Amino acid sequence: DKSLLSTGPGMSDEEAGDAAADAVSAASWEEHPSSSTLQQPYVYNVYTAVAFPGCEVFSSWLERAKEDQVKDASLDAFMGRYYKVEDATEGGDATEGSNVVKDPVDFIHADYQLFDTPVWRARKRDLITKKLDELKNKKQRRCARNRNGQADLGQAVHDLDRIRRYGSRVLVIMIGIGMALIGYAIISAADALHDVRTDYVQSLLPDFGKGFVAHVGIAVAYITVAYIPVAYKPIVAGSGIDYAKAILNGVNVPEASTFVTLVCKAVGIIFTSAASLPAGLEGPMIHNGLCLGANAWRIVPRNIPAFDHLFSDRSRRDFAAIGTSAGVAAAFLSPIGGILFAMEEGASYWSIQLMWKCVNASTTTLLVWFLVDAVRDTVSGGFGPKTLPLKLAGYGQFITEVHYWEFAVVAVIGFAAGLIGSAFVEINIRLTKLRRRLNFSKPLQLLEVIFFTVLMATLTWCLPLAYTVCRVDNAPAMQFIQFNCPDGQYNELATLLQAVPSTYGLKHTFHSGADAFTIQSLVIAGCVYLFVLLFLFGAKIVMGIFIPLLYAGSCFGRAIALWLGLKPFIYAVVGASAMLCSVVRVVISLTVIVLVEATGLPYLMIPLLITNIAARSVANKLSKSSIYEKLLELKDIPFLEEETPKALTHRMLHARDIMSSRPLVKLPSEVGVAQLVQTLKDYGSYGEYPVLHGDQFIGVIKQYDLLILLGHKGLFYSEADKGSDLQSSHRTLTHSELRRTYPDKPNLEEVEASLTEEDLSCYLDLAPYVQIAPSTFDAHGSAERTYELYRTLGLRSLIVVDNNARPIGEVRRRDLYSFQQEEGSEKMKMKAA
């Protein structure tokens, strides 16, 4: 049929000839089907030439190795712990009735694969055609000498790529600018509210009774306001680092990265910090950066096809990582630390291109921050942060050498911090589990937060009165607190407990003279912060733990230095870094943030690395996961670690052994509308479905695309037209039309209600919208390679095929995550034994 071999728009003669040859070869193959498929590769048929003109779609499938009979003797018993005993070797069709195994929690697993559908390829062809027409209409062309059009084609590709790159760069710069403004506003507002409270309380002294009532009352008022965003959007409670890790790992947690979440997070942390609770700004600011980056594509016009690549899970993940890096840069004014944090703690998929985008966003954040700060100082000199977070001016006077024998001391500090950090993680997680079992109502949640606010306000007020140590204030710039001491003196414990840690607290422990605080005052302040933080983190309030842990560690480190007669400021930094590392288990980025960029002490790099490695090693031995990974496990978010679970590494498991126990739902390329609706109702949680043309596996299609297609009745056709040349008689949605509402997908109930009986009797062609050549894996391949391939490529599902390249099952994130869970539970049983 000549109509089947006609050239598509934009096809060259060479491409058309290849397509015709493929079709003729396919016809020849269909006439002589006697050869075994195991001895002959798969070839094109006429349908392939129609659905995918000018494109090589299917790879030649070589003969597969015979099934490996070597099997672990205990495999059956071993696998019984993970899945129900169920035959999943051949999978199932959409029409088969089987029980559906759904995820325990409705998390959306992202797909980071590049677009590779026929409509996407048509989009690229149309873009080049339009650009060529624009070049031809210009009066002067750069490549006028070349008559064959190749130079124009190169220029068109270059122009399209330039539009794409410049669009991404503009988004990156806007993320940096936005994060700088948001971070500056958060810190400035928190400082302003804290100063209002402090100034009013100071005005009531020396009447300590009225001062105490005002001290507690204003804190309660602040924390009540801080709870309102949490009551409205519960997901904003906590620091948000755990959700950031999950999103960058490939799990789209519902409501965790919206603009509403960003606003609620910002309002909550401002009032929480102003209430003088041991709550850091940094974790929520990092989460805000992720929200900003994940939504950056929303400002991109959808009517520009050159930007279609931005409306994808892959693009959202990259910009979320960029936003996370900008958030760290805004929180600590540490651009390199932000990049390392996004790489070490967050993004599971990294590239040089993504790294440079993070560099641009982080650098822009700092430039805008300093510009806004300079303008504020010039214009008003009022509103704004009183000092840069952790940025300590005049540190050069303390630069001195560190003796080799002191490396042993910092290692011991790291060892002790590892013990404290592992105990902190385990106890806090147990408290969080207790809260989940009690399931407090919103009034009780507010009462719990108010209780800890009153407790902290009482401790910070009464302890300085009970243990008063006054010293002469020789450094007014340090903002020591007089409290109940005579004029010209300050109260040690009041200074340590009532100062905001991120503004002045760390400056006191890092920068003050050796005789500024006694050992007793430092130990009391460190214990109070650590104790309250232990019980507070996990309550329904917006808070981070970075700065409180740094502050508590700096108090302990400075106390140890005074006890041993060493340099207090060095060991304050060492203690701070070790304490934070023992809880969050980051080494590289933390060392850069705390040392090189935040405090300006590059000569302490080796001591910091030693204490961080020691703290992490000890903490991992006693409690393998960080507090954020424990929270992910507690929330049942399927976070895949980089290291392959031991159950997959040391057992003779194949891909076929770890396939999902639920049936593999396969759709025909021309599917009935009624059948498709019923499939989505029965198997709506699947996310994507293999598509077959006859017995030939041609690709997969996403649930989102199916819902969009069902909403366009112009694509439907009757049974009489089934199998005909649909390209000439029916329209096809473009890629831009298909992704117009991304990531919001239609509601299945609303779509079904809009369909008439006549619509349900029609058919729908899925071939133009399938992902061509999806990632597949041989059923005989090792389970270890399956895990590595799945995590490295960022797949939503991995199709498992048999010897004939037919899909027989799939491996999903939950299937791999179950091995991590089992490994953790077995270790807990061994420890208990």
Side-chain angles (χ1 to χ4, degrees), residues 86 116 118 157 172 273 284 298 349 374 429 540 628 649 683 780 805 808:
E86 193 171 323
D116 191 15
V157 172
V172 169
S273 178
R298 293 186 182 274
Y349 323 101
I429 292 299
K540 294 299 181 180
Y628 298 126
T649 304
Y683 306 96
H780 313 300
I808 61 173

Side-chain angles (χ1 to χ4, degrees), residues 142 157-174 299-301 304 306-307 309-310 319 353 357 360:
R142 298 179 181 178
V157 172
H158 174 75
D159 291 347
L160 290 174
D161 184 65
R162 182 174 57 184
I163 295 174
R164 176 174 178 167
R165 287 186 287 107
Y166 285 177
S168 296
R169 289 175 183 175
V170 170
L171 282 184
V172 169
I173 293 174
M174 293 185 69
I299 66 174
V300 178
I304 303 179
F307 294 150
H309 68 284
L310 297 175
F319 281 104
Q353 185 181 20
K357 291 180 179 178
N360 291 338

Side-chain angles (χ1 to χ4, degrees), residues 99-147:
N99 293 329
V100 182
V101 181
K102 296 185 178 180
D103 288 348
V105 183
D106 187 21
F107 293 118
I108 303 172
H109 303 159
D111 184 6
Y112 296 151
Q113 296 295 288
L114 291 171
F115 289 128
D116 191 15
T117 63
V119 292
W120 174 258
R121 296 183 178 186
R123 165 204 166 272
K124 293 196 293 186
R125 183 183 58 213
D126 293 343
L127 283 177
I128 293 178
T129 302
K130 291 180 181 179
K131 182 58 66 173
L132 286 173
D133 292 340
E134 292 179 7
L135 292 176
K136 290 178 181 179
N137 293 331
K138 290 184 177 180
K139 295 181 180 180
Q140 295 180 349
R141 297 202 304 262
R142 298 179 181 178
C143 305
R145 296 181 180 179
N146 195 318
R147 297 181 179 179

Side-chain angles (χ1 to χ4, degrees), residues 471-677:
R471 290 185 179 273
V472 177
D473 188 358
N474 296 322
M478 294 297 293
Q479 298 291 327
F480 293 132
I481 298 176
Q482 180 182 351
F483 201 53
N484 61 338
C485 291
D487 294 339
Q489 298 184 19
Y490 65 91
N491 186 307
E492 284 189 10
L493 207 50
T495 300
L496 292 172
L497 291 176
Q498 296 179 15
V500 179
S502 60
T503 305
Y504 293 116
L506 284 170
K507 186 176 182 180
H508 293 152
T509 55
F510 284 3
H511 195 58
S512 300
D515 58 348
F517 306 102
T518 61
I519 296 176
Q520 294 83 353
S521 298
L522 291 166
V523 172
I524 292 173
C527 289
V528 167
Y529 260 81
L530 197 61
F531 175 79
V532 177
L533 179 65
L534 175 64
F535 287 89
L536 183 62
F537 189 65
K540 294 299 181 180
I541 199 68
V542 182
M543 61 173 296
I545 60 174
F546 277 44
I547 292 299
L549 287 172
L550 285 172
Y551 186 59
S554 68
C555 290
F556 293 140
R558 189 179 179 96
I560 292 173
L562 292 175
W563 179 47
L564 297 177
L566 302 173
K567 306 173 186 68
F569 77 95
I570 290 180
Y571 287 90
V573 176
V574 169
S577 183
M579 182 62 70
L580 180 58
C581 183
S582 66
V583 175
V584 301
R585 314 289 167 82
V586 292
V587 175
I588 302 174
S589 57
L590 177 61
T591 302
V592 173
I593 290 172
V594 175
L595 265 299
V596 179
E597 294 185 297
T599 59
L601 297 175
Y603 66 93
L604 286 182
M605 177 69 73
I606 298 302
L608 259 294
L609 285 174
I610 291 174
T611 192
N612 287 345
I613 292 173
R616 178 187 172 92
S617 301
V618 173
N620 279 340
K621 189 67 176 178
L622 300 176
S623 175
K624 179 174 174 24
S625 303
S626 70
I627 192 167
Y628 298 126
E629 292 165 355
K630 290 280 189 181
L631 288 173
L632 289 172
E633 181 180 350
L634 188 62
K635 297 172 183 177
D636 198 30
I637 298 177
F639 179 87
L640 295 183
E641 300 283 356
E642 182 178 4
E643 183 180 0
T644 306
K646 302 298 186 296
L648 298 180
T649 304
H650 300 294
R651 304 297 293 252
M652 296 199 58
L653 297 177
H654 303 276
R656 63 176 182 269
D657 300 320
I658 63 173
M659 292 190 307
S660 176
S661 60
R662 69 185 191 180
L664 180 66
V665 179
K666 293 170 281 190
L667 295 173
S669 59
E670 293 183 272
V671 62
V673 174
Q675 178 188 354
L676 182 57
V677 171

Side-chain angles (χ1 to χ4, degrees), residues 384-462:
K386 299 299 179 294
T387 184
L388 301 180
L390 285 182
K391 192 63 67 173
L392 308 179
Y395 226 130
Q397 59 181 317
F398 294 111
I399 293 180
T400 182
E401 62 180 358
V402 179
H403 300 287
Y404 284 108
W405 61 268
E406 292 186 70
F407 291 165
V409 178
V410 299
V412 171
I413 292 177
F415 182 87
L419 295 176
I420 297 174
S422 61
F424 181 96
V425 171
E426 292 299 327
I427 296 174
N428 183 265
I429 292 299
R430 291 178 184 272
L431 291 172
T432 304
K433 291 180 179 179
L434 177 62
R435 286 189 177 99
R436 292 171 68 91
R437 286 198 298 268
L438 295 176
N439 193 21
F440 289 155
S441 61
K442 290 184 178 180
L444 290 179
Q445 292 173 2
L446 177 59
L447 287 177
E448 180 191 13
V449 174
I450 291 176
F451 168 77
F452 285 112
T453 304
V454 173
L455 175 63
M456 187 65 183
T458 302
L459 291 175
T460 58
W461 189 270
C462 296

Side-chain angles (χ1 to χ4, degrees), residues 71-93:
K71 208 170 186 181
D72 194 332
S74 61
L75 178 60
D76 295 335
F78 175 73
M79 291 306 301
R81 298 202 301 268
Y82 295 102
Y83 305 110
K84 297 181 295 184
V85 179
E86 193 171 323
D87 183 13
T89 56
E90 290 297 329
D93 293 325

